Amino acid sequence: MDSALPKQLIKGKGRSAKQIPLHVNSITFANHSTPLLLAVTDETVEEGKNKYLKIRLFKTTTDGAAWSEAKLSFDALNRPYSIYSTDTDVFIGSFNVIHQSNDGVNYSQIDLSKNDFRENDFGGIAGIHQLDNNNGFIIKDYSDKIIFVDNAHNMIGLNYGVLSHSKVYALETGVVRGKKALFAAVGNFNYIDKDSYALFYSLNNGVSWHNSLTLNITSGSNFPSILLRISPDSNS
């Protein structure tokens, strides 16, 4: 089996060197027009007194007889969290980024960090699904937030924020990071929703919402416990 894995060249004594298999974290089959296998590897790299984790992505169309390294750069924080494929494309979900390729080696980026979302709103992309006719994506992160991403890369929360079934207790206007904002105190009472009671703010007139305050009912208590998450540069 080792003979079919991606390898690295290790320097030996004198001028000798040998190839050894890389540590493989996962291997995924992509049902592409040209079926391929994608392998995620990691290795500890030493540079002087510093050590860091190097994560790489390889692809093979020959059942491991030959591997090509993808032109992507990953590390311990920004790693491949999910892999999804269609007949024509391969998608890699990392931290706030969807990487897209038609050959498994050369990738373009859909950078979601340029959206209004803050890092604590959305992070590692744990799941990706492209809608029919390239009409955007449904993505999920590791905190179970489900989001629709349109082709302009706008992100709309599907199971949190102000939803069609939300009970809205109050609406106020204010300012967040120097921008006009709309605040909403809501209750979402559905088992798939991210929050039960929460305060959200929107910077685009309610198209997408960011969580600012969450109220969770504690067991055995009639009063909510308050979990406050406010960005240092936010003010209302």
Side-chain angles (χ1 to χ4, degrees):
M1 179 64 183
D2 284 353
S3 62
L5 297 176
K7 296 179 176 62
Q8 62 178 331
L9 190 65
I10 299 295
K11 184 178 180 181
K13 294 181 179 180
R15 296 182 178 179
S16 65
K18 62 179 181 178
Q19 286 194 331
I20 65 171
L22 288 162
H23 179 260
V24 176
N25 270 323
S26 66
I27 294 180
T28 303
F29 172 70
N31 193 19
H32 193 259
S33 55
T34 303
L36 52 90
L37 293 175
L38 295 169
V40 178
T41 70
D42 65 51
E43 58 190 292
T44 300
V45 177
E46 296 187 29
E47 291 185 353
K49 296 182 179 180
N50 299 318
K51 292 183 179 181
Y52 66 93
L53 188 65
K54 184 177 183 179
I55 299 175
R56 296 192 278 175
L57 179 71
F58 293 84
K59 79 129 185 190
T60 179
T61 56
T62 58
D63 295 328
W67 292 86
S68 301
E69 183 174 357
K71 297 177 181 178
L72 291 173
S73 178
F74 296 111
D75 55 36
L77 294 177
N78 180 37
R79 61 174 64 231
Y81 291 104
S82 57
I83 298 176
Y84 170 75
S85 65
T86 66
D87 290 343
T88 58
D89 292 284
V90 173
F91 301 92
I92 310 294
S94 63
F95 191 83
N96 276 326
V97 176
I98 299 173
H99 307 270
Q100 182 175 356
S101 172
N102 59 13
D103 62 6
V105 174
N106 300 284
Y107 286 81
S108 59
Q109 290 189 350
I110 301 173
D111 188 354
L112 303 180
S113 67
K114 295 180 180 179
N115 197 285
D116 275 335
F117 274 62
R118 297 177 299 173
E119 287 187 359
N120 62 347
D121 283 327
F122 197 80
I125 299 174
I128 310 170
H129 175 74
Q130 188 179 40
L131 300 178
D132 291 343
N133 302 316
N134 297 326
N135 285 325
F137 300 90
I138 301 294
I139 60 176
K140 172 186 173 296
D141 77 351
Y142 274 101
S143 65
D144 291 330
K145 289 181 178 177
I146 301 173
I147 293 177
F148 166 67
V149 183
D150 68 15
N151 288 325
H153 306 165
N154 296 308
M155 301 168 68
I156 301 173
L158 300 182
N159 69 333
Y160 68 97
V162 181
L163 308 172
S164 60
H165 62 268
S166 297
K167 184 173 181 179
V168 180
Y169 293 94
L171 285 171
E172 296 287 346
T173 57
V175 177
V176 174
R177 299 193 297 276
K179 297 181 179 179
K180 291 183 179 180
L182 178 65
F183 289 86
V186 303
N188 292 329
F189 307 104
N190 187 303
Y191 71 94
I192 67 168
D193 293 334
K194 176 62 184 169
D195 301 295
S196 294
Y197 297 91
L199 174 66
F200 291 92
Y201 70 89
S202 174
L203 300 176
N204 51 17
N205 295 316
V207 175
S208 58
W209 294 88
H210 310 272
N211 183 255
S212 188
L213 178 74
T214 301
L215 304 177
N216 294 325
I217 302 299
T218 59
S219 177
S221 171
N222 291 324
F223 299 96
S225 62
I226 299 176
L227 304 175
L228 186 61
R229 302 195 299 271
I230 297 180
S231 174
D233 56 354
S234 297
N235 56 78
S236 59

